């Protein structure tokens, strides 16, 4: 299934049904009078967040959604039925934006949320509504009210507890495939990852969280270089970020500064998130090179990075435990003032 995180669609609620002009014509009732029924209400347009969806691809092939018109009224004071609603089923984390693509109308950040976007038009009154002592035989009825219409944008921001950030070829996809059941494409050239990937990490039956791997950033991404910052929105909801740095490159400090600069340029609070720094691919480094590059990163970041390898699994447990501690803080399960104890994973953990 192709990944699509933005779609522009047209929605329209249904028109109200017209009222009826009718008179009773029954045997032995000489003065039957008006008996036209009201028209039915037009269908509404709803948006609902549903589990099991992770893309907006359904809106790639259908962009127009129109609710049904209410049924017209009939004689014998029979009112028309309500028009059928339209329900847009979208992934959890979808935002509904106005046509300007900036004003957020609805943020569906929980499963099962259902919000009405447009109301259908009211049905018209039948001629029964207009009878009175003066006008005892009204011969007119109201038409149904027109429905509403508008263009909207759907923008998906994946719900993940931890986001992976780093330059292309930093080993993010390899790391994700090692710690979860996700199988993103892995290759030895930059920009292998073209769309975000999600993976569920199971530390124990009661310790689970979701990691989002987004395409790599390069210098100038905030100005559109490479794939730009389009996919950074998928980690806006994350509790914290794991910043992976390729330990095999010459200048790890420059790699760190590039990503930090792009996060700050993007805004939306990404630069303020808790950052878990990790030096990746240490299986390809000598012990001396590990310490040298870790010291360089510690000098610029102010904290010692985790030393990990997505291939051999070295240091992965400690990194995941640190990430889980941040997830628990976000979920309100522990306080910031509590002791930062990293417990052992029951039964151990293997990549």
């Amino acid at each position: 299934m192709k990944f699509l995180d933005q779609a522009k669609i047209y929605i329209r609620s249904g028109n109200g049904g017209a009222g009826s002009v009718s008179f009773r014509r029954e045997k032995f009732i000489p003065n039957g009078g008006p008996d036209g029924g009201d028209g039915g209400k037009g269908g509404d347009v709803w948006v609902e967040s549903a589990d099991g969806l992770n893309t907006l691809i359904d809106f790639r092939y259908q962009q127009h959604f129109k609710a049904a018109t209410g049924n017209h009224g009939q004689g014998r004071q029979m009112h028309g039925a309500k028009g059928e609603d339209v329900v847009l089923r979208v992934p959890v984390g979808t935002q509904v934006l106005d046509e300007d693509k900036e004003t957020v109308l609805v943020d569906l950040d929980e499963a099962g949320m259902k919000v009405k976007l447009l109301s259908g038009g009211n049905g018209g009154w039948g001629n029964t509504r207009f009878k009175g002592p003066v006008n005892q035989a009204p011969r007119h009825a109201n038409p149904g009210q027109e429905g509403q219409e508008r263009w909207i944008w759907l923008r998906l921001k994946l719900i993940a507890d931890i986001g992976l950030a780093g330059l292309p070829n930093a080993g993010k996809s390899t790391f994700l495939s090692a710690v979860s059941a996700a199988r993103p494409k892995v290759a030895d050239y930059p920009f292998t990852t073209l769309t975000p990937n999600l993976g569920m990490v199971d530390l124990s039956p009661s310790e689970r969280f979701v990691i989002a791997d987004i395409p790599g950033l390069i210098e100038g991404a905030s100005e559109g270089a490479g794939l730009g910052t389009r996919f950074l929105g998928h980690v806006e909801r994350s509790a914290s970020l794991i910043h992976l740095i390729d330990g095999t490159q010459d200048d790890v400090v420059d790699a760190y500064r590039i990503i930090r600069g792009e996060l700050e340029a993007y805004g939306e609070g990404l630069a303020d998130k808790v950052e878990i720094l990790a030096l990746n691919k240490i299986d390809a480094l000598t012990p001396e090179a590990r310490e040298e590059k870790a010291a360089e990163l510690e000098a610029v970041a102010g904290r010692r990075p985790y030393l990990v390898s997505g291939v051999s699994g070295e240091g992965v447990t400690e990194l995941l435990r640190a990430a889980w501690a941040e997830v628990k803080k976000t979920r309100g399960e522990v306080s910031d003032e509590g002791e930062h104890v990293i417990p052992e994973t029951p039964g151990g953990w293997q990549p």
Side-chain angles (χ1 to χ4, degrees):
M1 180 181 293
K2 292 184 178 180
F3 181 84
L4 186 72
D5 62 349
Q6 293 185 27
K8 185 179 183 180
I9 62 173
Y10 169 85
I11 56 175
R12 192 184 196 286
S13 59
N15 297 335
S20 171
V21 176
S22 177
F23 295 90
R24 293 182 65 182
R25 292 179 174 84
E26 300 178 50
K27 193 175 183 179
F28 306 121
I29 302 180
N31 299 315
D35 68 348
D38 299 339
K41 182 178 180 296
D44 304 323
V45 179
W46 298 78
V47 61
E48 180 181 16
S49 56
D51 277 329
L53 300 177
N54 57 8
T55 175
L56 297 174
I57 191 65
D58 291 340
F59 302 96
R60 171 70 172 81
Y61 305 105
Q62 181 182 357
Q63 291 88 33
H64 293 76
F65 298 87
K66 300 178 182 179
T69 300
N71 291 348
H72 302 314
Q74 300 181 44
R76 298 189 178 182
Q77 298 190 32
M78 290 189 291
H79 300 322
K82 182 182 182 299
E84 186 176 355
D85 295 341
V86 165
V87 180
L88 308 175
R89 298 179 74 252
V90 298
V92 179
T94 300
Q95 291 181 329
V96 180
L97 292 83
D98 202 356
E99 191 174 2
D100 60 9
K101 209 176 179 180
E102 295 182 357
T103 305
V104 178
L105 305 176
V106 181
D107 191 356
L108 303 165
D109 57 355
E110 295 180 6
M113 292 182 63
K114 189 174 183 179
V115 180
K116 184 191 294 186
L117 297 179
L118 297 178
S119 294
N122 292 324
W125 281 358
N127 66 339
T128 305
R129 298 272 193 172
F130 299 99
K131 68 179 180 181
V134 176
N135 187 8
Q136 297 182 3
R139 296 184 178 276
H140 69 277
N142 284 347
Q145 186 181 27
E146 289 288 327
Q148 302 171 323
E149 61 182 356
R150 71 187 309 171
W151 285 90
I152 60 173
W153 279 91
L154 300 177
R155 181 173 63 190
L156 173 61
K157 292 183 179 180
L158 295 175
I159 303 294
D161 298 302
I162 299 293
L164 290 179
L167 291 172
N169 260 23
K172 300 186 297 298
S173 296
T174 301
F175 179 81
L176 181 67
S177 62
V179 302
S180 71
R183 292 294 175 263
K185 183 179 179 181
V186 177
D188 59 355
Y189 53 84
F191 296 110
T192 309
T193 302
L194 298 177
T195 59
N197 295 292
L198 290 179
M200 176 69 74
V201 177
D202 287 301
L203 290 175
S204 73
S206 60
E207 299 171 314
R208 308 179 70 192
F209 61 94
V210 178
I211 288 184
D213 169 30
I214 62 171
L217 301 173
I218 63 174
E219 189 171 9
S222 58
E223 300 174 357
L227 295 177
T229 57
R230 172 183 171 185
F231 297 112
L232 275 181
H234 294 290
V235 295
E236 286 182 23
R237 306 179 191 269
S238 301
S240 57
L241 299 176
I242 293 179
H243 185 172
L244 288 181
I245 296 180
D246 183 0
T248 62
Q249 60 187 349
D250 296 332
D251 194 344
V252 293
V253 172
D254 185 57
Y256 172 79
R257 287 174 173 165
I258 288 175
I259 297 300
R260 291 301 303 174
E262 296 307 321
L263 293 178
E264 292 173 1
Y266 179 80
E268 302 297 335
L270 286 188
D272 300 326
K273 288 185 180 293
V274 175
E275 180 188 57
I276 304 173
L277 187 60
L279 184 65
N280 196 19
K281 302 184 182 180
I282 62 171
D283 57 291
L285 300 177
T286 63
E288 295 77 12
R290 294 183 185 183
E291 288 302 319
E292 179 183 351
K293 295 191 176 184
E296 293 176 0
L297 286 176
E298 185 177 5
V300 69
R303 59 191 179 281
R304 184 170 178 80
Y306 288 87
L307 303 181
V308 300
S309 170
V311 175
S312 67
E314 184 179 354
V316 172
T317 301
E318 292 76 10
L319 179 58
L320 293 179
R321 279 294 170 189
W324 172 243
E326 296 300 331
V327 172
K328 288 199 296 182
K329 290 179 187 178
T330 304
R331 296 177 181 176
E333 298 178 10
V334 295
S335 62
D336 292 338
E337 291 77 14
E339 295 183 0
H340 299 280
V341 179
I342 301 178
E344 293 295 330
T345 303
W349 182 89
Q350 294 295 330

